[in-house]
Each structure stands twice: as structure tokens, then as C-alpha cells.
Amino acid sequence: MRIDVLGVGFDALDRDAALDRAQAWLDGGTPRYIVTPNAEIAYAALRDAALRDALNGADMVLPDGIGIVKASRQLGRPLRERVPGAEFGPGLAARMAAQGKRLYLLGAKPGVAEEAADRLRREHPGLVVCGARDGYFQDDADVLADIARAKPDVIFVCLGAPKQELWMRRNLDSVGPALMLGLGGTLDMLAGRVKRAPAVFRKLGLEWLYRLAHPSRWRRAAALPRFVMAVRRQRRHEKKGR
Ligand code: UDP
């Protein structure tokens, strides 16, 4: 069952159930992709049909942020919990290690994916990181050829939103039987280039507040009040329709 927040259908799964489902797909031999939108992206999708299609066309749609979970409660169809991409990706890597599965890392500035690969290899012996490449390429063909050589089971696509969602949608039939995960800034995090908020902020659902300390985030955060208003409009609209 998917839960509609501003026209994006989110899967009502907790973290473990989401990981179980993704793990079951590893042996499926079918290309698939998973997205982890936050409030800002769901709001952007209201006005961007291509982004909305890329999100709703995913095999799994997970709420990256607390804003989506709160909105789902206000709409009377509560999602269980947030499933941040930055936790989901490494969680799947841990499960892949036990099965000797192959992971390809795509995205972030030159050098970052390699550093993230080193960290994942250290933390998860058994995991095969079969390729790593930065996210500032001009044409897809090169990247797709590299992926074809590497034969990954899973690809972390970390090009930022909405680029990564559109990339996965566009290339779904060109990556072999891989499972792709759109994970935003996760490679930067794994490489230690950005730190996640301290645990106390995360527990209180205030990671966004911590991030505001970074001025480049201000423009993005400006979308949050608009997201809240749009959710109120959706609620009013649904009440009328009942
Ligand atoms: N990025 C990329 N190619 C691009 C644009 C961005 O690889 O053309 C990377 C960028 O270096 C960063 C990530 O995408 O590693 C986006 O991270 P951010 O934290 O901004 O994204 P979010 O998780 O908020 O979507």
C-alpha cells in the first residue's frame, strides 16, 4: 500500500521491512530502483511532472525526512517512521556483505566515491565494491559501459535530487539486472566529507535544524513552509471529497 503525500506515493514500511524487501530483490534478476524523497523533493514534484513520474515509478518510495512522516499523520494515513537514505544504503550494504554481493558507487565530487568505497570495504568485509565513479560526467554512455563491465547487484546513485531520480528512471533498462538506490549526499557522508547531525538532534527529529547552520541549505529550507501549506491544502481537499 502506498500513502499519498502531495501526489507522491510512499511505502508504509519500517526500516527493517524495507531492507527485507530490498534484500529479496537482490536475486531477482530484474532492474529496479528505490527513491528516498524528503519534503523538499515532494514539494518540487508538485510542479514537476517528470520528477513525480520518476518518484512514483520507483519500486520502493521511502520517506527520507520527518516532514513526510508528520504530513502523513496529518493526512490520517500515518507512515511508520522515516527511513533515511543515508541509513538505508549502508544497511543494505551490510546485508549484501553476508552474501558477497557487488556494489557500484556513482556520484559526488571526484575522489569521494573511492573514499566511500574504502570505508565500506573496511566496515563490511565480504562486500565487493566493484566500481566507483564521480557524479560530474557529461554523457551516460561512458558510465553505463563502466557499469556493464563491473556487473553490480546494487548501484548507489548519488547525484542529488532531482538528477538522480531522473537518471535512474531514464537508465532503468540499461544497467543490467541491478537494483539502484537514489541516495543524495550519502557518499559524502560515508567519506566523512559531511557529518550527520549529532544523535540528540536526530532523535528529536531536528536534523534539518542542525543543517540550517550551513548557509547553502537556507534556500532549500525555504521550501519547508510551502510544503506544510501544501499538505494543509491536500487535507482540506480530501476532507471535502469525502
Ligand atoms: N552531485 C553529483 N553530480 C551532480 C550534482 C551533484 O554527483 O551533477 C552530488 C554532490 O556532489 C553531492 C550529492 O550529489 O554529493 C548531493 O548531495 P546533497 O546533500 O546536496 O543532496 P541531498 O541528499 O540533499 O539530495
Side-chain angles (χ1 to χ4, degrees):
M1 193 199 39
R2 284 201 172 165
I3 289 179
D4 180 316
V5 177
L6 302 189
V8 177
F10 287 85
D11 285 285
L13 297 169
D14 62 22
R15 289 171 208 203
D16 285 342
L19 282 171
D20 288 348
R21 187 184 283 185
Q23 192 176 10
W25 285 340
L26 293 180
D27 297 316
T30 312
R32 299 179 195 270
Y33 70 103
I34 297 175
V35 294
T36 60
N38 57 19
E40 178 205 346
I41 303 309
Y43 183 75
L46 266 183
R47 283 173 178 71
D48 181 341
L51 173 58
R52 194 162 62 241
D53 287 349
L55 294 172
N56 287 325
D59 295 276
M60 193 150 52
V61 182
L62 300 170
D64 184 83
I66 193 71
I68 300 285
V69 175
K70 283 193 174 152
S72 72
R73 287 186 197 136
Q74 280 164 4
L75 292 164
R77 307 179 288 269
L79 288 160
R80 286 160 183 270
E81 61 177 347
R82 65 189 285 242
V83 187
E87 288 173 17
F88 185 75
L92 187 62
R95 291 181 177 215
M96 290 169 67
Q99 298 174 265
K101 294 285 183 191
R102 300 166 72 79
L103 175 64
Y104 189 100
L105 305 178
L106 176 62
K109 303 236 167 73
V112 175
E114 285 80 2
E115 280 174 40
D118 289 343
R119 161 111 181 258
L120 286 168
R121 287 191 189 106
R122 265 199 317 276
E123 285 185 4
H124 307 292
L127 178 71
V128 183
V129 184
C130 60
R133 200 182 168 112
D134 72 76
Y136 294 84
F137 50 87
Q138 291 309 317
D139 108 65
D140 290 351
D142 244 20
V143 177
L144 293 172
D146 197 39
I147 290 173
R149 275 192 297 274
K151 295 192 174 27
D153 299 295
V154 173
I155 308 171
F156 287 0
V157 183
C158 301
L159 307 174
K163 196 170 179 184
Q164 62 201 5
E165 288 77 14
L166 299 174
W167 195 91
M168 293 191 290
R169 178 88 166 158
R170 183 167 74 241
N171 292 303
L172 183 61
D173 293 324
S174 312
V175 293
L179 170 64
M180 293 185 277
L181 275 57
L183 295 178
T186 298
L187 296 180
D188 294 310
M189 193 207 74
L190 284 170
R193 301 282 176 111
V194 286
K195 292 202 170 44
R196 290 203 64 191
V200 57
F201 281 82
R202 301 211 302 262
K203 280 209 187 90
L204 293 171
L206 291 176
E207 195 157 14
W208 58 272
L209 183 60
Y210 181 79
R211 288 211 186 137
L212 276 185
H214 208 293
S216 72
R217 296 270 169 187
W218 291 358
R219 192 183 53 78
R220 297 164 155 224
L224 286 174
R226 289 199 285 267
F227 170 79
V228 171
M229 298 303 287
V231 171
R232 284 195 195 144
R233 276 198 300 277
Q234 182 179 353
R235 189 172 59 179
R236 275 201 303 275
H237 192 75
E238 288 179 1
K239 271 196 181 146
K240 263 195 227 150
R242 256 187 244 134

